[in-house]
């Protein structure tokens, strides 16, 4: 895929800047809340609290965050209507990250009801203890995941979208947000304009959410 190759070169500065392992001293920073038009949002869009993740399906720390911190936030705040959750692609790990982002954008646009199940299934498929540069994402894998989940996805259409890079513009818009907000690692979490420097500090995350309710 020509675009995947050229896009990988185009975001090489992001790949270099991104931390391979999350390391933070904790605390928060005040930032302008990103505009979420067109982004997938889980939960009540009118909720007082919005939790934003800049994430990468190839990122092992994102998989852990999704399976631990996110699950707790979902049960306590998102499912109850107190908060919603948005996901923005930060494809730090080259062509595989970009390919997964393209598939994700296709499912979000064409099958929004299936998006969050597909989103979770990609993370679930990520091998345990995988190295950042170990290859595991491919078109075949992404299509297989779409076939295996319970939600209805037009797999032939998804395959065509990957070949045609139909959602290149949407992925590039996310990359623009990554650059605008100087995102250097994944996952990066922003809650109502407060950037959480350590995304695994659940105490701080809960305190921030509760202060915004």
């Amino acid at each position: 895929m020509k675009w995947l190759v050229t896009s990988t070169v185009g975001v090489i500065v992001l790949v270099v800047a991104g931390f391979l392992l999350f390391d933070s001293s904790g605390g928060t920073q005040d930032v302008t809340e990103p505009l979420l038009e067109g982004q997938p949002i889980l939960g009540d869009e009118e909720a007082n609290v919005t939790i934003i993740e800049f994430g990468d399906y190839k990122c092992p720390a994102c998989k852990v965050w999704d399976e631990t911190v996110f699950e707790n936030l979902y049960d306590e705040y998102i499912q109850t209507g107190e908060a919603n959750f948005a996901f923005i692609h930060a494809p730090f790990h080259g062509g595989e990250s970009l390919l997964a982002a393209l598939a994700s954008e296709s499912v979000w646009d064409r099958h929004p009801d299936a998006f969050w199940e597909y989103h979770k299934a990609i993370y679930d498929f990520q091998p345990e203890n995988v190295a950042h540069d170990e290859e595991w994402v491919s078109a075949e894998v992404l299509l297989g995941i779409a076939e295996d989940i319970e939600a209805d996805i037009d797999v032939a259409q998804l395959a065509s979208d990957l070949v045609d890079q139909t959602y290149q513009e949407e992925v590039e818009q996310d990359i623009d947000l990554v650059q605008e907000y100087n995102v250097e690692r994944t996952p990066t979490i922003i809650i109502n304009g407060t950037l959480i420097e350590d995304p695994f500090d659940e105490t701080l995350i809960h305190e921030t959410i509760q202060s915004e309710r």
Side-chain angles (χ1 to χ4, degrees), residues 49 161 179 208:
V49 179
D161 286 341
Q179 295 173 324
T208 303

Side-chain angles (χ1 to χ4, degrees), residues 78-103:
I78 299 169
Q79 188 170 241
T80 62
E82 295 184 69
N84 56 47
F85 175 78
F87 182 80
I88 299 173
H89 297 287
F92 283 143
H93 300 292
E96 289 180 82
S97 297
L98 292 161
L99 185 64
L102 283 170

Side-chain angles (χ1 to χ4, degrees), residues 13 47 51 57-58 94 98 106 121 124 132 147-148 166 184 192:
V13 65
I51 305 162
Y57 292 118
K58 275 276 289 181
L98 292 161
S106 171
D124 288 346
H132 287 78
E147 288 181 331
D148 290 343
T166 305
E184 295 182 332
N192 280 20

Side-chain angles (χ1 to χ4, degrees), residues 8-149:
T8 301
V9 174
V11 299
I12 190 66
V13 65
L14 297 179
V15 178
V16 172
F19 287 86
L20 293 182
L21 295 175
F22 198 95
D23 181 19
S24 177
S25 57
T28 64
Q29 298 178 30
D30 291 333
V31 298
T32 303
E33 190 168 356
L35 295 177
L36 297 177
E37 183 179 357
Q39 301 294 349
I41 298 177
L42 177 65
D44 183 357
E45 293 191 14
E46 301 302 319
N48 291 332
V49 179
T50 295
I51 305 162
I52 300 171
E53 177 194 359
F54 285 87
D56 183 342
Y57 292 118
K58 275 276 289 181
C59 164
C62 295
K63 173 184 173 70
V64 174
W65 192 88
D66 187 74
E67 295 174 345
T68 55
V69 180
F70 171 78
E71 290 296 330
N72 294 334
L73 296 177
Y74 178 80
D75 290 342
E76 188 164 349
Y77 300 111
I78 299 169
Q79 188 170 241
T80 62
E82 295 184 69
N84 56 47
F85 175 78
F87 182 80
I88 299 173
H89 297 287
F92 283 143
H93 300 292
E96 289 180 82
S97 297
L98 292 161
L99 185 64
L102 283 170
S104 173
E105 291 288 352
S106 171
V107 172
W108 169 241
D109 182 53
R110 299 187 187 278
H111 309 283
D113 291 342
F115 174 81
W116 292 106
E117 184 180 356
Y118 187 65
H119 170 88
K120 182 178 187 302
I122 297 176
Y123 277 136
D124 288 346
F125 192 88
Q126 183 186 125
E128 298 290 340
N129 303 315
V130 67
H132 287 78
D133 58 353
E134 183 176 337
E135 295 183 4
W136 62 270
V137 177
S138 66
E140 291 74 17
V141 163
L142 295 167
L143 296 173
I145 293 171
E147 288 181 331
D148 290 343
I149 65 175

